[in-house]
Amino acid sequence: MPCQIVVGAQWGDEGKGKIVDLLSEGADLVVRYQGGANAGHTVVIAGKQFILHLLPSGILRAGKRCLLGNGVVIDPPNLFEEMAQVEDAGISLKGRLGISPAAHVTLPYHRWLEQMEETALGVGRIGTAGRAIGPTYRDKSGRMGVRLSDLMHPERLRRRVESRVKMLVDPTGQQSPPGVDVDAVVAEYVGYGRILAEYVCDVSREVNTALDQGQRVILEGAQGTMLDLDHGTYPYVTSSSTVSGGALTGVGLGPMCITGVTGVAKAYCTRVGNGPFPSELTDEVGELLRKVGAEFGSTTGRPRRCGWYDAVAVRHAVRTNGLETLGITKLDVPDGMPVLRICNAYKVDGRLLTELPYDMEDFEHAEPVYEDWPGWSTPTSGARSWDELPAEARRYLDRLSEVSGAPLALVSVGKDREATLWLRDIRFAVAGSRS
């Protein structure tokens, strides 16, 4: 029962969408296990770009069944917009999309709460994507949330919305909460429920049954390890479990079902939002990485903070996810740079640390300790095998693997599917092409 998890090994935006799309060629099911419309996975097919926020990246492969697990939070208007984008491109969703009835739903007052809370935090604000993910997950953990199944039961939905609205408090203390028209919210979301009813399915049961029947499953995460609620740079994190363990609870699987875990990292590093980022570059080199790599958030359009590869962070990801292999993306972005740097340790108050500090205040004061590696002048974008890469690029990749603690499975040198070098074939066999 082959079941692979694909996770981000940095702060998100590593290129997981492309990797999941590639792996989904030989899969039967692709399942998203956490996050919401705050995540953006970009896939380019024959020069056409798709930005997916909620739909699993496998939706772009004909015939693949794609599911949203109970760990995902659903914003119906955003989901409908995305579904329309895919169908307008001639990709049918009929019979291919399933959503857990236990997935929680983002409501209008969640967006208001997030705006008020970010304002109240001031300089300590998280820098969220503005999609109300945090308040939705908080209502879930506080047992005040609305699940997809509630949208199919108007009176139950009304009770849950009414009880939650009564507790709304403005955290800034400077203005009263706006009036929430419960009747309008209930009517709107019951309408969404009618549309989504045909997609509701028991995701845990379907995935477990598929594995029992020998089908092949990919579990797709959003964001990255360093944004995990427990294992990331708290409090500057997302509100869900982005690591591989979150796949089990976010879908409803036992650990013995998992047969492989692959992490994805860029050949450099980026971060969106606030919080510590030791290897960040605020000079012309960082600006060059941003420009060449088109490092702007696919969800918000915000410029990403750019920096050198942080091996300390990736080692943390290897350990917390149990990564067996690593995929490196955007190797083509630093083409032509004379020197590339790898952060392989931190200095904190005179101490040399080779692992992530457990105290996040230490992390905020961490200074990167770099290794310098020669760059390459020959473009990598045309390479389709290891031997076609410049020797300096091969040495750099070897070092990334060594300091990260995981063997490389693939290297991406461009946006398109074909711009990929397979070093270890972790793909499922495709009928008629591989045994």
Side-chain angles (χ1 to χ4, degrees):
M1 52 178 189
C3 183
Q4 296 186 45
I5 305 176
V6 178
V7 301
Q10 296 166 320
W11 276 272
D13 306 307
E14 301 96 345
K16 295 181 296 298
K18 174 181 176 177
I19 306 309
V20 171
D21 169 67
L22 290 169
L23 294 176
S24 66
E25 181 185 11
D28 299 293
L29 279 78
V30 182
V31 189
R32 171 83 173 270
Y33 63 81
Q34 50 76 224
N38 59 333
H41 290 175
T42 302
V43 181
V44 178
I45 302 172
K48 182 175 177 57
Q49 178 173 279
F50 295 84
I51 299 177
L52 305 175
H53 300 282
L54 282 162
L55 294 176
S57 301
I59 203 72
L60 302 175
R61 295 273 186 183
K64 308 302 177 183
R65 175 80 167 155
C66 293
L67 307 175
L68 299 177
N70 56 276
V72 179
V73 294
I74 308 295
D75 188 331
N78 280 327
L79 178 59
F80 295 147
E81 183 179 323
E82 193 170 328
M83 291 165 66
Q85 174 199 358
V86 171
E87 290 187 320
D88 287 347
I91 302 170
S92 174
L93 297 176
K94 188 172 181 61
R96 298 182 53 220
L97 178 63
I99 309 173
S100 169
H104 277 246
V105 178
T106 296
L107 291 147
Y109 51 77
H110 290 134
R111 286 184 279 275
W112 173 81
L113 276 170
E114 183 172 64
Q115 292 169 2
M116 293 299 102
E117 288 161 1
E118 283 285 271
T119 300
L121 285 169
V123 294
R125 64 185 181 275
I126 307 301
T128 70
R131 297 298 179 93
I133 302 304
T136 307
Y137 274 116
R138 188 165 63 250
D139 275 5
K140 174 181 178 177
S141 62
R143 294 163 293 186
M144 299 181 291
V146 170
R147 305 207 291 185
L148 182 60
S149 59
D150 295 326
L151 306 192
M152 287 79 181
H153 299 275
E155 289 310 310
R156 184 202 305 168
L157 176 62
R158 176 179 297 278
R159 290 195 301 271
R160 299 197 71 81
V161 172
E162 283 180 339
S163 63
R164 183 65 184 98
V165 168
K166 288 177 182 177
M167 292 182 280
L168 287 177
V169 177
D170 177 4
T172 68
Q174 296 178 359
Q175 65 181 82
S176 300
V180 175
D181 188 334
V182 172
D183 290 338
V185 171
V186 171
E188 179 182 357
Y189 280 77
V190 166
Y192 295 153
R194 293 194 190 99
I195 299 171
L196 293 172
E198 69 172 290
Y199 301 103
V200 171
C201 66
D202 188 334
V203 169
S204 172
R205 184 176 177 181
E206 181 169 341
V207 174
N208 277 279
T209 299
L211 291 172
D212 288 342
Q213 295 174 348
Q215 294 186 45
R216 300 157 298 187
V217 177
I218 295 172
L219 306 179
E220 176 184 18
Q223 288 95 27
T225 298
M226 297 300 289
L227 295 180
D228 183 88
L229 184 59
D230 288 296
H231 302 287
T233 53
Y234 187 89
Y236 299 98
V237 293
T238 192
S239 301
S240 60
S241 181
T242 64
V243 296
S244 59
L248 305 179
T249 56
V251 174
L253 291 174
M256 299 306 291
C257 294
I258 307 305
T259 55
V261 186
T262 295
V264 185
K266 286 175 181 169
Y268 49 101
C269 199
T270 64
R271 175 168 195 166
V272 172
N274 298 331
F277 184 15
S279 68
E280 182 174 11
L281 295 166
T282 57
D283 57 9
E284 65 278 2
V285 177
E287 185 58 38
L288 180 63
L289 288 172
R290 183 179 300 111
K291 180 179 179 180
V292 177
E295 296 295 354
F296 298 88
S298 52
T299 299
T300 64
R302 290 182 295 179
R304 296 176 183 141
R305 300 158 65 189
C306 296
W308 296 117
Y309 188 92
D310 189 332
V312 183
V314 178
R315 281 197 294 271
H316 176 74
V318 170
R319 183 179 73 253
T320 53
N321 289 289
L323 298 184
E324 297 173 307
T325 55
L326 192 63
I328 298 294
T329 62
K330 292 199 167 185
L331 183 68
D332 55 310
V333 171
D335 284 355
M337 287 189 173
V339 175
L340 279 71
R341 311 190 85 180
I342 300 171
C343 172
N344 199 20
Y346 303 146
K347 277 187 178 179
V348 180
D349 296 329
R351 294 172 291 147
L352 185 67
L353 302 180
T354 58
E355 296 294 337
L356 211 68
Y358 62 83
D359 189 312
M360 281 301 104
E361 286 198 11
D362 283 345
F363 195 65
E364 289 178 351
H365 298 105
E367 299 177 15
V369 178
Y370 287 119
E371 299 177 1
D372 287 355
W373 287 80
W376 50 88
S377 56
T378 304
T380 59
S381 56
R384 294 297 179 267
S385 71
W386 178 258
D387 291 339
E388 292 177 10
L389 289 173
E392 296 84 358
R394 297 197 300 268
R395 286 194 289 270
Y396 179 69
L397 290 168
D398 282 338
R399 185 57 178 163
L400 293 189
S401 175
E402 182 180 17
V403 295
S404 302
L408 300 186
L410 61 95
V411 178
S412 172
V413 293
K415 295 180 179 179
D416 284 308
R417 287 170 172 170
E418 295 74 19
T420 309
L421 288 60
W422 293 95
L423 311 182
R424 292 172 179 251
D425 203 341
I426 59 173
R427 293 170 287 185
F428 297 129
V430 178
S433 64
R434 288 189 296 274
S435 60

